[in-house]
Amino acid sequence: MQNAKYQLKCLECGKTITDKYTNICPDGHDSLLRTAYKTKRLRKLSGKGMFNYIDWLPVEEALPINASPITYKSEGFGKELGLKNLYIGFSGYWPEKGVFMKTCTFKELEALPTCQRAKEKCGKILVVPSAGNTSRAFAEVASMTGMPVVVIVPKSSIHRMWTTTELEKHDTIFLISVDGDYSDSIALSKEIVKKEALIEEGGVKNVARRDGMGIVELEAAFFMHAVPDYYFQAVGSGTGAIAAWETFIRLINDGRFGVKMPRIVISQNLPFAPMFSAWQEGRAEIIADKDMNDAAEAIKQMYADVLSTRNPPYSIKGGVYDMLVSTEGVMHGISNEECREAEKLFETEEGIDLDPAASVACASLIKAVDEGLVKKEDRILLNITGGGYKRLNNDYKRYQIAERIEIKSSGQLTLEDVEIELNEFVQGL
Ligand SMILES: *Cc1c(COP(=O)(O)O)cnc(C)c1O
Ligand SMILES: [Zn+2]
């Protein structure tokens, strides 16, 4: 397949793999696969939203949407922090700035190319477990495009499951709620993907998700005419930060955006911060007893509970640990109090409301200034991964997605019951 637009590459064995919605090395290595695109010098098209950068997305065709993040140079927040070159990468809804992502987070950048990749490469129905934002993004894409999806969320996140598309467009969404948290959603997903017509979406291992999120850095690099000196992001899994690292590697190889790898500064929301805890001790492994003590209780206390990933891709080859080592990365643990203060300052200065997770990144930037990590002249890219919910409410109605099945921990409902409902869904499409 010399003419293929891209191949996948295992970072452990170096094997080149033709994509059949392949998310793991055929030899079973504990490594991420990475896309190797034929085009080294990226073209920016116009009028195709995020698909303006289709050269570096693992799909053949663009979806007809206008979703794309934007980059702009901060005035107010930068000034307050004494930073002269603060650039904001914004994913969310903010029409005054020209950004129209109606799910309000960068998960939409993952969902769009992932659905398209699944359609092109395997034709199966994606199963997506999440703590809320990911499932909502996939549900919105499903209702927009008519591509079916099975989404699984904790009962406590069910209020986050809405779209801006009318109820009659919800036919392609099969929503399951589970009693428990994110890890319980994942456990159920593992069971139901055994069905022939369904396929596991893949999470961090899915290259479409990572390259989709990388659009934030591409958009920023074209705006700034360079890669930044520092990149800031709040992480739960760290998928977005791995994506940023991979994208910076491609941009440096492109040749037009500078030669120096940005330092990546990631942040987690205390008290649930397993990667922060492991990294503080210089460990490449997360030890559950040390880093995730009393996880359920800690997660309940978080201001930004979308960041509550219990099993992040920290140690896997090409994962968060490798990213931190290779970019001279830094990690911050951020308290709820620090989040709230940062959020208030950002919202006042920039004039848009934030997803709680984005507040974590803002607080991390404030900490970096206080610590003297970043200097006045440094070129900084702050990834505002979500925002504009309040702004969206002025323009759009929210349509709550009805759950098709509720799994209770008491377990009266068996997998066969789920199976029957799912069969009806698949046949009804
Ligand atoms: C999911 C999410 C994050 C964290 O992304 P990871 O890829 O898990 O690190 C940050 N901000 C928002 C708004 C999110 O929805
Ligand atoms: Zn391999």
Side-chain angles (χ1 to χ4, degrees), residues 169-193:
K169 294 207 169 146
H170 287 194
D171 293 352
T172 52
I173 308 166
F174 193 92
L175 172 62
I176 305 177
S177 76
V178 292
D179 221 1
D181 63 25
Y182 182 31
S183 49
D184 300 287
S185 316
I186 294 175
L188 178 66
S189 162
K190 295 262 177 232
E191 280 306 311
I192 65 176
V193 293

PDB file of all heavy atoms in Angstrom, residues 169-193:
ATOM      1  N   LYS A 169     -34.101  13.305  15.958  1.00  0.00           N
ATOM      2  CA  LYS A 169     -32.787  12.917  15.433  1.00  0.00           C
ATOM      3  C   LYS A 169     -32.013  12.049  16.416  1.00  0.00           C
ATOM      4  O   LYS A 169     -30.854  11.714  16.187  1.00  0.00           O
ATOM      5  CB  LYS A 169     -31.986  14.165  15.082  1.00  0.00           C
ATOM      6  CG  LYS A 169     -32.602  14.941  13.940  1.00  0.00           C
ATOM      7  CD  LYS A 169     -31.566  15.729  13.190  1.00  0.00           C
ATOM      8  CE  LYS A 169     -32.145  16.288  11.900  1.00  0.00           C
ATOM      9  NZ  LYS A 169     -31.579  17.590  11.574  1.00  0.00           N
ATOM     10  N   HIS A 170     -32.648  11.683  17.519  1.00  0.00           N
ATOM     11  CA  HIS A 170     -31.964  10.866  18.525  1.00  0.00           C
ATOM     12  C   HIS A 170     -32.060   9.372  18.256  1.00  0.00           C
ATOM     13  O   HIS A 170     -31.545   8.570  19.019  1.00  0.00           O
ATOM     14  CB  HIS A 170     -32.519  11.176  19.928  1.00  0.00           C
ATOM     15  CG  HIS A 170     -32.085  12.500  20.463  1.00  0.00           C
ATOM     16  ND1 HIS A 170     -32.229  12.855  21.781  1.00  0.00           N
ATOM     17  CD2 HIS A 170     -31.484  13.566  19.872  1.00  0.00           C
ATOM     18  CE1 HIS A 170     -31.761  14.075  21.977  1.00  0.00           C
ATOM     19  NE2 HIS A 170     -31.319  14.527  20.830  1.00  0.00           N
ATOM     20  N   ASP A 171     -32.730   9.003  17.148  1.00  0.00           N
ATOM     21  CA  ASP A 171     -32.937   7.575  16.858  1.00  0.00           C
ATOM     22  C   ASP A 171     -31.637   6.789  16.740  1.00  0.00           C
ATOM     23  O   ASP A 171     -31.617   5.584  16.943  1.00  0.00           O
ATOM     24  CB  ASP A 171     -33.704   7.407  15.531  1.00  0.00           C
ATOM     25  CG  ASP A 171     -35.119   7.928  15.647  1.00  0.00           C
ATOM     26  OD1 ASP A 171     -35.520   8.255  16.785  1.00  0.00           O
ATOM     27  OD2 ASP A 171     -35.804   8.009  14.614  1.00  0.00           O
ATOM     28  N   THR A 172     -30.552   7.458  16.372  1.00  0.00           N
ATOM     29  CA  THR A 172     -29.289   6.739  16.164  1.00  0.00           C
ATOM     30  C   THR A 172     -28.441   6.668  17.440  1.00  0.00           C
ATOM     31  O   THR A 172     -27.306   6.223  17.406  1.00  0.00           O
ATOM     32  CB  THR A 172     -28.467   7.407  15.041  1.00  0.00           C
ATOM     33  OG1 THR A 172     -28.354   8.807  15.329  1.00  0.00           O
ATOM     34  CG2 THR A 172     -29.119   7.213  13.687  1.00  0.00           C
ATOM     35  N   ILE A 173     -29.018   7.153  18.561  1.00  0.00           N
ATOM     36  CA  ILE A 173     -28.264   7.131  19.826  1.00  0.00           C
ATOM     37  C   ILE A 173     -28.857   6.076  20.762  1.00  0.00           C
ATOM     38  O   ILE A 173     -30.045   6.116  21.079  1.00  0.00           O
ATOM     39  CB  ILE A 173     -28.334   8.491  20.549  1.00  0.00           C
ATOM     40  CG1 ILE A 173     -27.936   9.632  19.607  1.00  0.00           C
ATOM     41  CG2 ILE A 173     -27.462   8.479  21.790  1.00  0.00           C
ATOM     42  CD1 ILE A 173     -28.302  11.011  20.145  1.00  0.00           C
ATOM     43  N   PHE A 174     -28.042   5.132  21.198  1.00  0.00           N
ATOM     44  CA  PHE A 174     -28.481   4.131  22.172  1.00  0.00           C
ATOM     45  C   PHE A 174     -27.760   4.436  23.484  1.00  0.00           C
ATOM     46  O   PHE A 174     -26.579   4.133  23.655  1.00  0.00           O
ATOM     47  CB  PHE A 174     -28.129   2.722  21.670  1.00  0.00           C
ATOM     48  CG  PHE A 174     -28.800   1.623  22.449  1.00  0.00           C
ATOM     49  CD1 PHE A 174     -30.027   1.111  22.050  1.00  0.00           C
ATOM     50  CD2 PHE A 174     -28.200   1.100  23.586  1.00  0.00           C
ATOM     51  CE1 PHE A 174     -30.644   0.089  22.774  1.00  0.00           C
ATOM     52  CE2 PHE A 174     -28.820   0.079  24.316  1.00  0.00           C
ATOM     53  CZ  PHE A 174     -30.042  -0.420  23.907  1.00  0.00           C
ATOM     54  N   LEU A 175     -28.482   5.068  24.409  1.00  0.00           N
ATOM     55  CA  LEU A 175     -27.865   5.514  25.664  1.00  0.00           C
ATOM     56  C   LEU A 175     -28.133   4.536  26.804  1.00  0.00           C
ATOM     57  O   LEU A 175     -29.273   4.190  27.084  1.00  0.00           O
ATOM     58  CB  LEU A 175     -28.395   6.902  26.036  1.00  0.00           C
ATOM     59  CG  LEU A 175     -28.006   7.459  27.417  1.00  0.00           C
ATOM     60  CD1 LEU A 175     -26.497   7.625  27.558  1.00  0.00           C
ATOM     61  CD2 LEU A 175     -28.712   8.786  27.692  1.00  0.00           C
ATOM     62  N   ILE A 176     -27.046   4.105  27.437  1.00  0.00           N
ATOM     63  CA  ILE A 176     -27.144   3.230  28.611  1.00  0.00           C
ATOM     64  C   ILE A 176     -26.556   3.968  29.813  1.00  0.00           C
ATOM     65  O   ILE A 176     -25.485   4.564  29.705  1.00  0.00           O
ATOM     66  CB  ILE A 176     -26.334   1.925  28.404  1.00  0.00           C
ATOM     67  CG1 ILE A 176     -26.769   1.209  27.106  1.00  0.00           C
ATOM     68  CG2 ILE A 176     -26.466   0.998  29.603  1.00  0.00           C
ATOM     69  CD1 ILE A 176     -25.946  -0.046  26.801  1.00  0.00           C
ATOM     70  N   SER A 177     -27.256   3.933  30.943  1.00  0.00           N
ATOM     71  CA  SER A 177     -26.652   4.483  32.160  1.00  0.00           C
ATOM     72  C   SER A 177     -26.307   3.335  33.106  1.00  0.00           C
ATOM     73  O   SER A 177     -26.994   2.320  33.130  1.00  0.00           O
ATOM     74  CB  SER A 177     -27.606   5.460  32.841  1.00  0.00           C
ATOM     75  OG  SER A 177     -28.629   4.759  33.512  1.00  0.00           O
ATOM     76  N   VAL A 178     -25.217   3.515  33.847  1.00  0.00           N
ATOM     77  CA  VAL A 178     -24.819   2.487  34.823  1.00  0.00           C
ATOM     78  C   VAL A 178     -24.674   3.117  36.200  1.00  0.00           C
ATOM     79  O   VAL A 178     -24.252   4.262  36.325  1.00  0.00           O
ATOM     80  CB  VAL A 178     -23.479   1.794  34.443  1.00  0.00           C
ATOM     81  CG1 VAL A 178     -23.624   0.963  33.199  1.00  0.00           C
ATOM     82  CG2 VAL A 178     -22.363   2.804  34.271  1.00  0.00           C
ATOM     83  N   ASP A 179     -25.024   2.336  37.201  1.00  0.00           N
ATOM     84  CA  ASP A 179     -24.828   2.745  38.585  1.00  0.00           C
ATOM     85  C   ASP A 179     -23.330   2.642  38.857  1.00  0.00           C
ATOM     86  O   ASP A 179     -22.771   1.561  38.775  1.00  0.00           O
ATOM     87  CB  ASP A 179     -25.575   1.746  39.480  1.00  0.00           C
ATOM     88  CG  ASP A 179     -26.283   2.447  40.604  1.00  0.00           C
ATOM     89  OD1 ASP A 179     -26.217   3.677  40.667  1.00  0.00           O
ATOM     90  OD2 ASP A 179     -26.918   1.745  41.406  1.00  0.00           O
ATOM     91  N   GLY A 180     -22.673   3.746  39.145  1.00  0.00           N
ATOM     92  CA  GLY A 180     -21.232   3.676  39.393  1.00  0.00           C
ATOM     93  C   GLY A 180     -20.528   4.839  38.749  1.00  0.00           C
ATOM     94  O   GLY A 180     -21.142   5.871  38.498  1.00  0.00           O
ATOM     95  N   ASP A 181     -19.236   4.687  38.475  1.00  0.00           N
ATOM     96  CA  ASP A 181     -18.519   5.783  37.829  1.00  0.00           C
ATOM     97  C   ASP A 181     -17.959   5.351  36.477  1.00  0.00           C
ATOM     98  O   ASP A 181     -18.341   4.332  35.911  1.00  0.00           O
ATOM     99  CB  ASP A 181     -17.463   6.414  38.748  1.00  0.00           C
ATOM    100  CG  ASP A 181     -16.363   5.455  39.158  1.00  0.00           C
ATOM    101  OD1 ASP A 181     -16.109   4.481  38.416  1.00  0.00           O
ATOM    102  OD2 ASP A 181     -15.746   5.670  40.213  1.00  0.00           O
ATOM    103  N   TYR A 182     -17.023   6.171  35.957  1.00  0.00           N
ATOM    104  CA  TYR A 182     -16.443   5.973  34.638  1.00  0.00           C
ATOM    105  C   TYR A 182     -15.958   4.532  34.416  1.00  0.00           C
ATOM    106  O   TYR A 182     -16.195   3.925  33.365  1.00  0.00           O
ATOM    107  CB  TYR A 182     -15.296   6.979  34.492  1.00  0.00           C
ATOM    108  CG  TYR A 182     -14.579   6.983  33.185  1.00  0.00           C
ATOM    109  CD1 TYR A 182     -15.221   6.655  31.991  1.00  0.00           C
ATOM    110  CD2 TYR A 182     -13.235   7.344  33.126  1.00  0.00           C
ATOM    111  CE1 TYR A 182     -14.546   6.693  30.791  1.00  0.00           C
ATOM    112  CE2 TYR A 182     -12.552   7.389  31.926  1.00  0.00           C
ATOM    113  CZ  TYR A 182     -13.212   7.046  30.766  1.00  0.00           C
ATOM    114  OH  TYR A 182     -12.528   7.071  29.589  1.00  0.00           O
ATOM    115  N   SER A 183     -15.315   3.962  35.459  1.00  0.00           N
ATOM    116  CA  SER A 183     -14.755   2.616  35.292  1.00  0.00           C
ATOM    117  C   SER A 183     -15.854   1.565  35.120  1.00  0.00           C
ATOM    118  O   SER A 183     -15.650   0.551  34.454  1.00  0.00           O
ATOM    119  CB  SER A 183     -13.845   2.255  36.465  1.00  0.00           C
ATOM    120  OG  SER A 183     -14.487   2.532  37.671  1.00  0.00           O
ATOM    121  N   ASP A 184     -17.044   1.839  35.696  1.00  0.00           N
ATOM    122  CA  ASP A 184     -18.161   0.912  35.501  1.00  0.00           C
ATOM    123  C   ASP A 184     -18.705   1.004  34.063  1.00  0.00           C
ATOM    124  O   ASP A 184     -19.125   0.003  33.480  1.00  0.00           O
ATOM    125  CB  ASP A 184     -19.275   1.194  36.510  1.00  0.00           C
ATOM    126  CG  ASP A 184     -18.773   1.039  37.943  1.00  0.00           C
ATOM    127  OD1 ASP A 184     -18.555  -0.116  38.351  1.00  0.00           O
ATOM    128  OD2 ASP A 184     -18.555   2.049  38.624  1.00  0.00           O
ATOM    129  N   SER A 185     -18.683   2.211  33.495  1.00  0.00           N
ATOM    130  CA  SER A 185     -19.075   2.365  32.088  1.00  0.00           C
ATOM    131  C   SER A 185     -18.150   1.543  31.196  1.00  0.00           C
ATOM    132  O   SER A 185     -18.588   0.859  30.271  1.00  0.00           O
ATOM    133  CB  SER A 185     -18.978   3.821  31.613  1.00  0.00           C
ATOM    134  OG  SER A 185     -19.488   4.712  32.536  1.00  0.00           O
ATOM    135  N   ILE A 186     -16.858   1.625  31.499  1.00  0.00           N
ATOM    136  CA  ILE A 186     -15.875   0.894  30.690  1.00  0.00           C
ATOM    137  C   ILE A 186     -16.083  -0.607  30.798  1.00  0.00           C
ATOM    138  O   ILE A 186     -16.042  -1.328  29.800  1.00  0.00           O
ATOM    139  CB  ILE A 186     -14.435   1.278  31.111  1.00  0.00           C
ATOM    140  CG1 ILE A 186     -14.172   2.748  30.759  1.00  0.00           C
ATOM    141  CG2 ILE A 186     -13.405   0.383  30.446  1.00  0.00           C
ATOM    142  CD1 ILE A 186     -12.837   3.267  31.229  1.00  0.00           C
ATOM    143  N   ALA A 187     -16.333  -1.080  32.020  1.00  0.00           N
ATOM    144  CA  ALA A 187     -16.526  -2.514  32.236  1.00  0.00           C
ATOM    145  C   ALA A 187     -17.708  -3.035  31.412  1.00  0.00           C
ATOM    146  O   ALA A 187     -17.614  -4.090  30.767  1.00  0.00           O
ATOM    147  CB  ALA A 187     -16.731  -2.791  33.716  1.00  0.00           C
ATOM    148  N   LEU A 188     -18.807  -2.299  31.383  1.00  0.00           N
ATOM    149  CA  LEU A 188     -19.967  -2.734  30.606  1.00  0.00           C
ATOM    150  C   LEU A 188     -19.652  -2.714  29.110  1.00  0.00           C
ATOM    151  O   LEU A 188     -20.022  -3.630  28.368  1.00  0.00           O
ATOM    152  CB  LEU A 188     -21.183  -1.842  30.893  1.00  0.00           C
ATOM    153  CG  LEU A 188     -22.429  -2.218  30.078  1.00  0.00           C
ATOM    154  CD1 LEU A 188     -22.954  -3.594  30.476  1.00  0.00           C
ATOM    155  CD2 LEU A 188     -23.526  -1.175  30.202  1.00  0.00           C
ATOM    156  N   SER A 189     -18.935  -1.695  28.700  1.00  0.00           N
ATOM    157  CA  SER A 189     -18.556  -1.576  27.288  1.00  0.00           C
ATOM    158  C   SER A 189     -17.786  -2.818  26.837  1.00  0.00           C
ATOM    159  O   SER A 189     -18.031  -3.380  25.765  1.00  0.00           O
ATOM    160  CB  SER A 189     -17.721  -0.315  27.104  1.00  0.00           C
ATOM    161  OG  SER A 189     -17.015  -0.363  25.897  1.00  0.00           O
ATOM    162  N   LYS A 190     -16.863  -3.272  27.667  1.00  0.00           N
ATOM    163  CA  LYS A 190     -16.051  -4.464  27.359  1.00  0.00           C
ATOM    164  C   LYS A 190     -16.932  -5.683  27.103  1.00  0.00           C
ATOM    165  O   LYS A 190     -16.609  -6.541  26.283  1.00  0.00           O
ATOM    166  CB  LYS A 190     -15.096  -4.791  28.518  1.00  0.00           C
ATOM    167  CG  LYS A 190     -14.056  -3.733  28.769  1.00  0.00           C
ATOM    168  CD  LYS A 190     -12.725  -4.095  28.117  1.00  0.00           C
ATOM    169  CE  LYS A 190     -11.704  -2.992  28.311  1.00  0.00           C
ATOM    170  NZ  LYS A 190     -11.054  -2.519  27.089  1.00  0.00           N
ATOM    171  N   GLU A 191     -18.030  -5.764  27.829  1.00  0.00           N
ATOM    172  CA  GLU A 191     -18.949  -6.892  27.656  1.00  0.00           C
ATOM    173  C   GLU A 191     -19.714  -6.791  26.336  1.00  0.00           C
ATOM    174  O   GLU A 191     -19.760  -7.748  25.566  1.00  0.00           O
ATOM    175  CB  GLU A 191     -19.961  -6.930  28.823  1.00  0.00           C
ATOM    176  CG  GLU A 191     -19.415  -7.543  30.082  1.00  0.00           C
ATOM    177  CD  GLU A 191     -18.828  -8.933  29.835  1.00  0.00           C
ATOM    178  OE1 GLU A 191     -19.507  -9.760  29.191  1.00  0.00           O
ATOM    179  OE2 GLU A 191     -17.684  -9.177  30.286  1.00  0.00           O
ATOM    180  N   ILE A 192     -20.300  -5.623  26.092  1.00  0.00           N
ATOM    181  CA  ILE A 192     -21.220  -5.579  24.954  1.00  0.00           C
ATOM    182  C   ILE A 192     -20.510  -5.497  23.598  1.00  0.00           C
ATOM    183  O   ILE A 192     -21.089  -5.849  22.595  1.00  0.00           O
ATOM    184  CB  ILE A 192     -22.307  -4.484  25.090  1.00  0.00           C
ATOM    185  CG1 ILE A 192     -21.719  -3.097  25.087  1.00  0.00           C
ATOM    186  CG2 ILE A 192     -23.150  -4.682  26.320  1.00  0.00           C
ATOM    187  CD1 ILE A 192     -22.825  -2.046  25.127  1.00  0.00           C
ATOM    188  N   VAL A 193     -19.252  -5.095  23.580  1.00  0.00           N
ATOM    189  CA  VAL A 193     -18.574  -5.070  22.269  1.00  0.00           C
ATOM    190  C   VAL A 193     -18.307  -6.471  21.725  1.00  0.00           C
ATOM    191  O   VAL A 193     -17.873  -6.619  20.581  1.00  0.00           O
ATOM    192  CB  VAL A 193     -17.233  -4.290  22.269  1.00  0.00           C
ATOM    193  CG1 VAL A 193     -17.480  -2.823  22.506  1.00  0.00           C
ATOM    194  CG2 VAL A 193     -16.252  -4.862  23.264  1.00  0.00           C
TER     195      VAL A 193
END
